[in-house]
Amino acid sequence: VVFKALILNPPWLQCFLSPLRFESDANFPGCSPSERMAVAKHWYSTAPRQPQYQNIWLRATHLPERSLWMELQAIAYPWLVLPPQSASGVFDHDRQEWHIVSSWWTPFMVAGWVVVGERPDQNGWMIAGEFQCWFFLKWLYKWLIVRILETYADQMATSISTYDDTLAE
């Protein structure tokens, strides 16, 4: 935490930090918003993963009683796995979205916010956010975000298609 706060997001040097916004579609099974939300609520819970999702390395868990969001991310599993991280996280029942906020002092690699939920047009799942990072390391943060989200999306799509093939047989 000390390294993260002092090196990655020092509050006294905010003028040297640059915002990095991102938005990504996420593959969740389901034909309607309510079906996707049911899968997401199970996915982000502490319940064991269903067999078809065992090969997905990213693990995100929401603990509503503690307003806590925890993640374990892998860029190139098993060679490059980031340490577990946590941030404040609440579920907005009206908007059917998770809102995650990481302040400069939290044990998360970046400071910023993320919203996870149904797209505004109700046509799929979306992950959107904004982080603060050193302007000269922005390229590294972009690379990390793309690798993590790309790996997650590929693994989820493979798991869904494998599961669909199993049901078809």
Side-chain angles (χ1 to χ4, degrees), residues 54-84:
Q54 292 295 327
N55 65 336
I56 299 177
W57 306 318
L58 181 131
R59 178 66 187 208
T61 304
H62 180 235
L63 303 172
E65 66 280 355
R66 296 187 179 176
S67 297
L68 189 64
W69 182 270
M70 298 173 57
E71 287 187 6
L72 179 63
Q73 303 166 349
I75 296 169
Y77 186 83
W79 303 284
L80 186 53
V81 178
L82 300 175

PDB file of all heavy atoms in Angstrom, residues 54-84:
ATOM      1  N   GLN A  54     -14.441 -22.325 -15.331  1.00  0.00           N
ATOM      2  CA  GLN A  54     -13.267 -22.632 -14.521  1.00  0.00           C
ATOM      3  C   GLN A  54     -11.966 -22.140 -15.145  1.00  0.00           C
ATOM      4  O   GLN A  54     -10.989 -21.927 -14.449  1.00  0.00           O
ATOM      5  CB  GLN A  54     -13.168 -24.147 -14.277  1.00  0.00           C
ATOM      6  CG  GLN A  54     -14.276 -24.681 -13.397  1.00  0.00           C
ATOM      7  CD  GLN A  54     -14.234 -24.138 -11.990  1.00  0.00           C
ATOM      8  OE1 GLN A  54     -13.177 -23.875 -11.446  1.00  0.00           O
ATOM      9  NE2 GLN A  54     -15.396 -23.938 -11.392  1.00  0.00           N
ATOM     10  N   ASN A  55     -11.924 -21.969 -16.473  1.00  0.00           N
ATOM     11  CA  ASN A  55     -10.666 -21.576 -17.127  1.00  0.00           C
ATOM     12  C   ASN A  55     -10.490 -20.061 -17.251  1.00  0.00           C
ATOM     13  O   ASN A  55      -9.561 -19.607 -17.893  1.00  0.00           O
ATOM     14  CB  ASN A  55     -10.576 -22.223 -18.511  1.00  0.00           C
ATOM     15  CG  ASN A  55     -11.653 -21.710 -19.449  1.00  0.00           C
ATOM     16  OD1 ASN A  55     -12.689 -21.237 -18.994  1.00  0.00           O
ATOM     17  ND2 ASN A  55     -11.434 -21.819 -20.741  1.00  0.00           N
ATOM     18  N   ILE A  56     -11.342 -19.272 -16.635  1.00  0.00           N
ATOM     19  CA  ILE A  56     -11.197 -17.813 -16.670  1.00  0.00           C
ATOM     20  C   ILE A  56     -10.372 -17.385 -15.459  1.00  0.00           C
ATOM     21  O   ILE A  56     -10.737 -17.661 -14.320  1.00  0.00           O
ATOM     22  CB  ILE A  56     -12.567 -17.120 -16.700  1.00  0.00           C
ATOM     23  CG1 ILE A  56     -13.309 -17.553 -17.968  1.00  0.00           C
ATOM     24  CG2 ILE A  56     -12.404 -15.609 -16.629  1.00  0.00           C
ATOM     25  CD1 ILE A  56     -14.691 -17.011 -18.084  1.00  0.00           C
ATOM     26  N   TRP A  57      -9.256 -16.719 -15.709  1.00  0.00           N
ATOM     27  CA  TRP A  57      -8.297 -16.420 -14.656  1.00  0.00           C
ATOM     28  C   TRP A  57      -8.657 -15.175 -13.863  1.00  0.00           C
ATOM     29  O   TRP A  57      -8.263 -15.058 -12.724  1.00  0.00           O
ATOM     30  CB  TRP A  57      -6.914 -16.280 -15.249  1.00  0.00           C
ATOM     31  CG  TRP A  57      -6.520 -17.466 -16.053  1.00  0.00           C
ATOM     32  CD1 TRP A  57      -6.739 -18.780 -15.726  1.00  0.00           C
ATOM     33  CD2 TRP A  57      -5.883 -17.474 -17.307  1.00  0.00           C
ATOM     34  NE1 TRP A  57      -6.260 -19.598 -16.702  1.00  0.00           N
ATOM     35  CE2 TRP A  57      -5.719 -18.818 -17.700  1.00  0.00           C
ATOM     36  CE3 TRP A  57      -5.418 -16.481 -18.157  1.00  0.00           C
ATOM     37  CZ2 TRP A  57      -5.116 -19.194 -18.878  1.00  0.00           C
ATOM     38  CZ3 TRP A  57      -4.816 -16.857 -19.330  1.00  0.00           C
ATOM     39  CH2 TRP A  57      -4.674 -18.202 -19.678  1.00  0.00           C
ATOM     40  N   LEU A  58      -9.339 -14.225 -14.461  1.00  0.00           N
ATOM     41  CA  LEU A  58      -9.712 -13.031 -13.718  1.00  0.00           C
ATOM     42  C   LEU A  58     -10.823 -13.389 -12.744  1.00  0.00           C
ATOM     43  O   LEU A  58     -11.782 -14.061 -13.109  1.00  0.00           O
ATOM     44  CB  LEU A  58     -10.213 -11.935 -14.669  1.00  0.00           C
ATOM     45  CG  LEU A  58     -10.589 -10.647 -13.961  1.00  0.00           C
ATOM     46  CD1 LEU A  58      -9.947  -9.475 -14.672  1.00  0.00           C
ATOM     47  CD2 LEU A  58     -12.073 -10.462 -13.895  1.00  0.00           C
ATOM     48  N   ARG A  59     -10.684 -12.957 -11.533  1.00  0.00           N
ATOM     49  CA  ARG A  59     -11.714 -13.206 -10.541  1.00  0.00           C
ATOM     50  C   ARG A  59     -12.059 -11.881  -9.885  1.00  0.00           C
ATOM     51  O   ARG A  59     -11.211 -11.228  -9.290  1.00  0.00           O
ATOM     52  CB  ARG A  59     -11.214 -14.206  -9.495  1.00  0.00           C
ATOM     53  CG  ARG A  59     -12.193 -14.504  -8.392  1.00  0.00           C
ATOM     54  CD  ARG A  59     -13.430 -15.224  -8.925  1.00  0.00           C
ATOM     55  NE  ARG A  59     -14.428 -15.359  -7.883  1.00  0.00           N
ATOM     56  CZ  ARG A  59     -15.312 -16.318  -7.844  1.00  0.00           C
ATOM     57  NH1 ARG A  59     -15.349 -17.227  -8.789  1.00  0.00           N
ATOM     58  NH2 ARG A  59     -16.187 -16.377  -6.884  1.00  0.00           N
ATOM     59  N   ALA A  60     -13.307 -11.451 -10.034  1.00  0.00           N
ATOM     60  CA  ALA A  60     -13.799 -10.234  -9.397  1.00  0.00           C
ATOM     61  C   ALA A  60     -14.949 -10.635  -8.479  1.00  0.00           C
ATOM     62  O   ALA A  60     -15.831 -11.390  -8.878  1.00  0.00           O
ATOM     63  CB  ALA A  60     -14.274  -9.231 -10.438  1.00  0.00           C
ATOM     64  N   THR A  61     -14.921 -10.141  -7.257  1.00  0.00           N
ATOM     65  CA  THR A  61     -15.923 -10.506  -6.262  1.00  0.00           C
ATOM     66  C   THR A  61     -16.414  -9.251  -5.561  1.00  0.00           C
ATOM     67  O   THR A  61     -15.617  -8.419  -5.143  1.00  0.00           O
ATOM     68  CB  THR A  61     -15.321 -11.474  -5.221  1.00  0.00           C
ATOM     69  OG1 THR A  61     -14.790 -12.604  -5.905  1.00  0.00           O
ATOM     70  CG2 THR A  61     -16.366 -11.926  -4.229  1.00  0.00           C
ATOM     71  N   HIS A  62     -17.732  -9.141  -5.430  1.00  0.00           N
ATOM     72  CA  HIS A  62     -18.338  -8.037  -4.695  1.00  0.00           C
ATOM     73  C   HIS A  62     -18.843  -8.564  -3.360  1.00  0.00           C
ATOM     74  O   HIS A  62     -19.585  -9.540  -3.314  1.00  0.00           O
ATOM     75  CB  HIS A  62     -19.497  -7.427  -5.493  1.00  0.00           C
ATOM     76  CG  HIS A  62     -20.149  -6.298  -4.785  1.00  0.00           C
ATOM     77  ND1 HIS A  62     -21.498  -6.265  -4.529  1.00  0.00           N
ATOM     78  CD2 HIS A  62     -19.645  -5.156  -4.254  1.00  0.00           C
ATOM     79  CE1 HIS A  62     -21.794  -5.160  -3.883  1.00  0.00           C
ATOM     80  NE2 HIS A  62     -20.683  -4.474  -3.718  1.00  0.00           N
ATOM     81  N   LEU A  63     -18.423  -7.921  -2.278  1.00  0.00           N
ATOM     82  CA  LEU A  63     -18.896  -8.257  -0.939  1.00  0.00           C
ATOM     83  C   LEU A  63     -19.818  -7.130  -0.481  1.00  0.00           C
ATOM     84  O   LEU A  63     -19.363  -6.126   0.067  1.00  0.00           O
ATOM     85  CB  LEU A  63     -17.720  -8.414   0.028  1.00  0.00           C
ATOM     86  CG  LEU A  63     -16.667  -9.453  -0.372  1.00  0.00           C
ATOM     87  CD1 LEU A  63     -15.465  -9.394   0.551  1.00  0.00           C
ATOM     88  CD2 LEU A  63     -17.268 -10.840  -0.395  1.00  0.00           C
ATOM     89  N   PRO A  64     -21.141  -7.256  -0.744  1.00  0.00           N
ATOM     90  CA  PRO A  64     -22.054  -6.138  -0.475  1.00  0.00           C
ATOM     91  C   PRO A  64     -22.133  -5.728   0.991  1.00  0.00           C
ATOM     92  O   PRO A  64     -22.280  -4.545   1.296  1.00  0.00           O
ATOM     93  CB  PRO A  64     -23.410  -6.648  -0.973  1.00  0.00           C
ATOM     94  CG  PRO A  64     -23.279  -8.118  -1.091  1.00  0.00           C
ATOM     95  CD  PRO A  64     -21.831  -8.427  -1.263  1.00  0.00           C
ATOM     96  N   GLU A  65     -22.005  -6.680   1.917  1.00  0.00           N
ATOM     97  CA  GLU A  65     -22.096  -6.342   3.344  1.00  0.00           C
ATOM     98  C   GLU A  65     -20.925  -5.480   3.805  1.00  0.00           C
ATOM     99  O   GLU A  65     -21.000  -4.823   4.836  1.00  0.00           O
ATOM    100  CB  GLU A  65     -22.216  -7.613   4.199  1.00  0.00           C
ATOM    101  CG  GLU A  65     -21.006  -8.517   4.183  1.00  0.00           C
ATOM    102  CD  GLU A  65     -20.896  -9.425   2.959  1.00  0.00           C
ATOM    103  OE1 GLU A  65     -21.801  -9.453   2.113  1.00  0.00           O
ATOM    104  OE2 GLU A  65     -19.866 -10.102   2.844  1.00  0.00           O
ATOM    105  N   ARG A  66     -19.847  -5.450   3.028  1.00  0.00           N
ATOM    106  CA  ARG A  66     -18.675  -4.641   3.380  1.00  0.00           C
ATOM    107  C   ARG A  66     -18.415  -3.524   2.369  1.00  0.00           C
ATOM    108  O   ARG A  66     -17.419  -2.806   2.496  1.00  0.00           O
ATOM    109  CB  ARG A  66     -17.444  -5.523   3.474  1.00  0.00           C
ATOM    110  CG  ARG A  66     -17.585  -6.530   4.593  1.00  0.00           C
ATOM    111  CD  ARG A  66     -16.344  -7.271   4.809  1.00  0.00           C
ATOM    112  NE  ARG A  66     -16.558  -8.199   5.903  1.00  0.00           N
ATOM    113  CZ  ARG A  66     -15.701  -9.064   6.317  1.00  0.00           C
ATOM    114  NH1 ARG A  66     -14.532  -9.131   5.733  1.00  0.00           N
ATOM    115  NH2 ARG A  66     -15.964  -9.870   7.303  1.00  0.00           N
ATOM    116  N   SER A  67     -19.252  -3.417   1.349  1.00  0.00           N
ATOM    117  CA  SER A  67     -19.053  -2.441   0.270  1.00  0.00           C
ATOM    118  C   SER A  67     -17.643  -2.555  -0.296  1.00  0.00           C
ATOM    119  O   SER A  67     -16.942  -1.567  -0.487  1.00  0.00           O
ATOM    120  CB  SER A  67     -19.315  -1.014   0.747  1.00  0.00           C
ATOM    121  OG  SER A  67     -20.651  -0.877   1.137  1.00  0.00           O
ATOM    122  N   LEU A  68     -17.249  -3.787  -0.582  1.00  0.00           N
ATOM    123  CA  LEU A  68     -15.887  -4.062  -1.010  1.00  0.00           C
ATOM    124  C   LEU A  68     -15.892  -4.802  -2.339  1.00  0.00           C
ATOM    125  O   LEU A  68     -16.702  -5.706  -2.555  1.00  0.00           O
ATOM    126  CB  LEU A  68     -15.197  -4.921   0.060  1.00  0.00           C
ATOM    127  CG  LEU A  68     -13.706  -5.147  -0.069  1.00  0.00           C
ATOM    128  CD1 LEU A  68     -12.934  -3.836   0.071  1.00  0.00           C
ATOM    129  CD2 LEU A  68     -13.257  -6.125   1.001  1.00  0.00           C
ATOM    130  N   TRP A  69     -14.999  -4.413  -3.239  1.00  0.00           N
ATOM    131  CA  TRP A  69     -14.792  -5.070  -4.523  1.00  0.00           C
ATOM    132  C   TRP A  69     -13.375  -5.621  -4.514  1.00  0.00           C
ATOM    133  O   TRP A  69     -12.421  -4.899  -4.238  1.00  0.00           O
ATOM    134  CB  TRP A  69     -14.950  -4.047  -5.644  1.00  0.00           C
ATOM    135  CG  TRP A  69     -14.806  -4.615  -7.006  1.00  0.00           C
ATOM    136  CD1 TRP A  69     -13.648  -4.732  -7.737  1.00  0.00           C
ATOM    137  CD2 TRP A  69     -15.838  -5.145  -7.825  1.00  0.00           C
ATOM    138  NE1 TRP A  69     -13.922  -5.298  -8.948  1.00  0.00           N
ATOM    139  CE2 TRP A  69     -15.264  -5.564  -9.029  1.00  0.00           C
ATOM    140  CE3 TRP A  69     -17.216  -5.323  -7.651  1.00  0.00           C
ATOM    141  CZ2 TRP A  69     -15.998  -6.135 -10.064  1.00  0.00           C
ATOM    142  CZ3 TRP A  69     -17.946  -5.878  -8.672  1.00  0.00           C
ATOM    143  CH2 TRP A  69     -17.349  -6.283  -9.868  1.00  0.00           C
ATOM    144  N   MET A  70     -13.238  -6.902  -4.787  1.00  0.00           N
ATOM    145  CA  MET A  70     -11.921  -7.537  -4.784  1.00  0.00           C
ATOM    146  C   MET A  70     -11.653  -8.146  -6.148  1.00  0.00           C
ATOM    147  O   MET A  70     -12.561  -8.674  -6.780  1.00  0.00           O
ATOM    148  CB  MET A  70     -11.855  -8.607  -3.704  1.00  0.00           C
ATOM    149  CG  MET A  70     -12.038  -8.044  -2.313  1.00  0.00           C
ATOM    150  SD  MET A  70     -12.154  -9.295  -1.036  1.00  0.00           S
ATOM    151  CE  MET A  70     -10.645 -10.178  -1.260  1.00  0.00           C
ATOM    152  N   GLU A  71     -10.397  -8.072  -6.597  1.00  0.00           N
ATOM    153  CA  GLU A  71     -10.023  -8.609  -7.907  1.00  0.00           C
ATOM    154  C   GLU A  71      -8.700  -9.351  -7.834  1.00  0.00           C
ATOM    155  O   GLU A  71      -7.801  -8.968  -7.092  1.00  0.00           O
ATOM    156  CB  GLU A  71      -9.861  -7.493  -8.941  1.00  0.00           C
ATOM    157  CG  GLU A  71     -11.133  -6.893  -9.394  1.00  0.00           C
ATOM    158  CD  GLU A  71     -10.939  -5.907 -10.534  1.00  0.00           C
ATOM    159  OE1 GLU A  71      -9.810  -5.785 -11.049  1.00  0.00           O
ATOM    160  OE2 GLU A  71     -11.920  -5.258 -10.891  1.00  0.00           O
ATOM    161  N   LEU A  72      -8.620 -10.369  -8.651  1.00  0.00           N
ATOM    162  CA  LEU A  72      -7.370 -11.058  -8.927  1.00  0.00           C
ATOM    163  C   LEU A  72      -7.262 -11.075 -10.445  1.00  0.00           C
ATOM    164  O   LEU A  72      -8.126 -11.610 -11.127  1.00  0.00           O
ATOM    165  CB  LEU A  72      -7.377 -12.482  -8.370  1.00  0.00           C
ATOM    166  CG  LEU A  72      -6.116 -13.299  -8.626  1.00  0.00           C
ATOM    167  CD1 LEU A  72      -4.908 -12.648  -7.942  1.00  0.00           C
ATOM    168  CD2 LEU A  72      -6.290 -14.716  -8.120  1.00  0.00           C
ATOM    169  N   GLN A  73      -6.225 -10.447 -10.978  1.00  0.00           N
ATOM    170  CA  GLN A  73      -6.078 -10.300 -12.426  1.00  0.00           C
ATOM    171  C   GLN A  73      -4.801 -10.986 -12.900  1.00  0.00           C
ATOM    172  O   GLN A  73      -3.799 -10.983 -12.201  1.00  0.00           O
ATOM    173  CB  GLN A  73      -6.011  -8.819 -12.809  1.00  0.00           C
ATOM    174  CG  GLN A  73      -7.204  -8.045 -12.350  1.00  0.00           C
ATOM    175  CD  GLN A  73      -6.976  -6.556 -12.434  1.00  0.00           C
ATOM    176  OE1 GLN A  73      -5.871  -6.080 -12.640  1.00  0.00           O
ATOM    177  NE2 GLN A  73      -8.036  -5.808 -12.265  1.00  0.00           N
ATOM    178  N   ALA A  74      -4.884 -11.541 -14.099  1.00  0.00           N
ATOM    179  CA  ALA A  74      -3.712 -12.168 -14.712  1.00  0.00           C
ATOM    180  C   ALA A  74      -3.539 -11.605 -16.113  1.00  0.00           C
ATOM    181  O   ALA A  74      -4.492 -11.518 -16.873  1.00  0.00           O
ATOM    182  CB  ALA A  74      -3.894 -13.674 -14.774  1.00  0.00           C
ATOM    183  N   ILE A  75      -2.328 -11.208 -16.444  1.00  0.00           N
ATOM    184  CA  ILE A  75      -2.036 -10.712 -17.785  1.00  0.00           C
ATOM    185  C   ILE A  75      -1.615 -11.873 -18.665  1.00  0.00           C
ATOM    186  O   ILE A  75      -2.055 -11.998 -19.794  1.00  0.00           O
ATOM    187  CB  ILE A  75      -0.955  -9.618 -17.737  1.00  0.00           C
ATOM    188  CG1 ILE A  75      -1.494  -8.429 -16.953  1.00  0.00           C
ATOM    189  CG2 ILE A  75      -0.531  -9.213 -19.127  1.00  0.00           C
ATOM    190  CD1 ILE A  75      -0.475  -7.401 -16.602  1.00  0.00           C
ATOM    191  N   ALA A  76      -0.790 -12.746 -18.138  1.00  0.00           N
ATOM    192  CA  ALA A  76      -0.349 -13.933 -18.874  1.00  0.00           C
ATOM    193  C   ALA A  76      -0.262 -15.085 -17.868  1.00  0.00           C
ATOM    194  O   ALA A  76       0.803 -15.399 -17.367  1.00  0.00           O
ATOM    195  CB  ALA A  76       0.998 -13.684 -19.531  1.00  0.00           C
ATOM    196  N   TYR A  77      -1.399 -15.643 -17.549  1.00  0.00           N
ATOM    197  CA  TYR A  77      -1.450 -16.701 -16.546  1.00  0.00           C
ATOM    198  C   TYR A  77      -0.683 -17.921 -17.021  1.00  0.00           C
ATOM    199  O   TYR A  77      -0.800 -18.275 -18.181  1.00  0.00           O
ATOM    200  CB  TYR A  77      -2.918 -17.067 -16.281  1.00  0.00           C
ATOM    201  CG  TYR A  77      -3.101 -18.041 -15.155  1.00  0.00           C
ATOM    202  CD1 TYR A  77      -3.118 -17.593 -13.848  1.00  0.00           C
ATOM    203  CD2 TYR A  77      -3.242 -19.390 -15.396  1.00  0.00           C
ATOM    204  CE1 TYR A  77      -3.282 -18.467 -12.811  1.00  0.00           C
ATOM    205  CE2 TYR A  77      -3.404 -20.279 -14.360  1.00  0.00           C
ATOM    206  CZ  TYR A  77      -3.427 -19.813 -13.063  1.00  0.00           C
ATOM    207  OH  TYR A  77      -3.584 -20.688 -12.042  1.00  0.00           O
ATOM    208  N   PRO A  78       0.070 -18.574 -16.241  1.00  0.00           N
ATOM    209  CA  PRO A  78       0.396 -18.358 -14.830  1.00  0.00           C
ATOM    210  C   PRO A  78       1.669 -17.538 -14.625  1.00  0.00           C
ATOM    211  O   PRO A  78       2.134 -17.405 -13.513  1.00  0.00           O
ATOM    212  CB  PRO A  78       0.597 -19.782 -14.318  1.00  0.00           C
ATOM    213  CG  PRO A  78       1.212 -20.503 -15.465  1.00  0.00           C
ATOM    214  CD  PRO A  78       0.590 -19.875 -16.702  1.00  0.00           C
ATOM    215  N   TRP A  79       2.225 -16.962 -15.686  1.00  0.00           N
ATOM    216  CA  TRP A  79       3.504 -16.262 -15.584  1.00  0.00           C
ATOM    217  C   TRP A  79       3.404 -14.868 -14.984  1.00  0.00           C
ATOM    218  O   TRP A  79       4.304 -14.437 -14.291  1.00  0.00           O
ATOM    219  CB  TRP A  79       4.176 -16.184 -16.958  1.00  0.00           C
ATOM    220  CG  TRP A  79       4.359 -17.553 -17.521  1.00  0.00           C
ATOM    221  CD1 TRP A  79       5.307 -18.472 -17.149  1.00  0.00           C
ATOM    222  CD2 TRP A  79       3.572 -18.179 -18.510  1.00  0.00           C
ATOM    223  NE1 TRP A  79       5.148 -19.634 -17.851  1.00  0.00           N
ATOM    224  CE2 TRP A  79       4.081 -19.477 -18.706  1.00  0.00           C
ATOM    225  CE3 TRP A  79       2.464 -17.781 -19.245  1.00  0.00           C
ATOM    226  CZ2 TRP A  79       3.536 -20.373 -19.604  1.00  0.00           C
ATOM    227  CZ3 TRP A  79       1.921 -18.679 -20.147  1.00  0.00           C
ATOM    228  CH2 TRP A  79       2.458 -19.950 -20.318  1.00  0.00           C
ATOM    229  N   LEU A  80       2.353 -14.134 -15.288  1.00  0.00           N
ATOM    230  CA  LEU A  80       2.234 -12.771 -14.776  1.00  0.00           C
ATOM    231  C   LEU A  80       0.856 -12.564 -14.159  1.00  0.00           C
ATOM    232  O   LEU A  80      -0.106 -12.211 -14.839  1.00  0.00           O
ATOM    233  CB  LEU A  80       2.486 -11.755 -15.895  1.00  0.00           C
ATOM    234  CG  LEU A  80       2.528 -10.286 -15.487  1.00  0.00           C
ATOM    235  CD1 LEU A  80       3.524 -10.056 -14.348  1.00  0.00           C
ATOM    236  CD2 LEU A  80       2.888  -9.421 -16.673  1.00  0.00           C
ATOM    237  N   VAL A  81       0.774 -12.833 -12.866  1.00  0.00           N
ATOM    238  CA  VAL A  81      -0.464 -12.658 -12.111  1.00  0.00           C
ATOM    239  C   VAL A  81      -0.248 -11.500 -11.148  1.00  0.00           C
ATOM    240  O   VAL A  81       0.728 -11.483 -10.394  1.00  0.00           O
ATOM    241  CB  VAL A  81      -0.830 -13.940 -11.332  1.00  0.00           C
ATOM    242  CG1 VAL A  81      -2.088 -13.728 -10.513  1.00  0.00           C
ATOM    243  CG2 VAL A  81      -0.992 -15.106 -12.288  1.00  0.00           C
ATOM    244  N   LEU A  82      -1.142 -10.523 -11.188  1.00  0.00           N
ATOM    245  CA  LEU A  82      -1.027  -9.375 -10.291  1.00  0.00           C
ATOM    246  C   LEU A  82      -1.513  -9.768  -8.901  1.00  0.00           C
ATOM    247  O   LEU A  82      -2.364 -10.655  -8.764  1.00  0.00           O
ATOM    248  CB  LEU A  82      -1.859  -8.217 -10.832  1.00  0.00           C
ATOM    249  CG  LEU A  82      -1.461  -7.714 -12.215  1.00  0.00           C
ATOM    250  CD1 LEU A  82      -2.429  -6.645 -12.690  1.00  0.00           C
ATOM    251  CD2 LEU A  82      -0.046  -7.190 -12.216  1.00  0.00           C
ATOM    252  N   PRO A  83      -1.013  -9.133  -7.861  1.00  0.00           N
ATOM    253  CA  PRO A  83      -1.478  -9.475  -6.509  1.00  0.00           C
ATOM    254  C   PRO A  83      -2.962  -9.096  -6.345  1.00  0.00           C
ATOM    255  O   PRO A  83      -3.457  -8.207  -7.035  1.00  0.00           O
ATOM    256  CB  PRO A  83      -0.591  -8.631  -5.599  1.00  0.00           C
ATOM    257  CG  PRO A  83       0.025  -7.600  -6.462  1.00  0.00           C
ATOM    258  CD  PRO A  83       0.008  -8.101  -7.869  1.00  0.00           C
ATOM    259  N   PRO A  84      -3.668  -9.781  -5.438  1.00  0.00           N
ATOM    260  CA  PRO A  84      -5.073  -9.420  -5.198  1.00  0.00           C
ATOM    261  C   PRO A  84      -5.184  -7.953  -4.795  1.00  0.00           C
ATOM    262  O   PRO A  84      -4.313  -7.418  -4.107  1.00  0.00           O
ATOM    263  CB  PRO A  84      -5.488 -10.339  -4.045  1.00  0.00           C
ATOM    264  CG  PRO A  84      -4.498 -11.449  -4.061  1.00  0.00           C
ATOM    265  CD  PRO A  84      -3.227 -10.875  -4.604  1.00  0.00           C
TER     266      PRO A  84
END
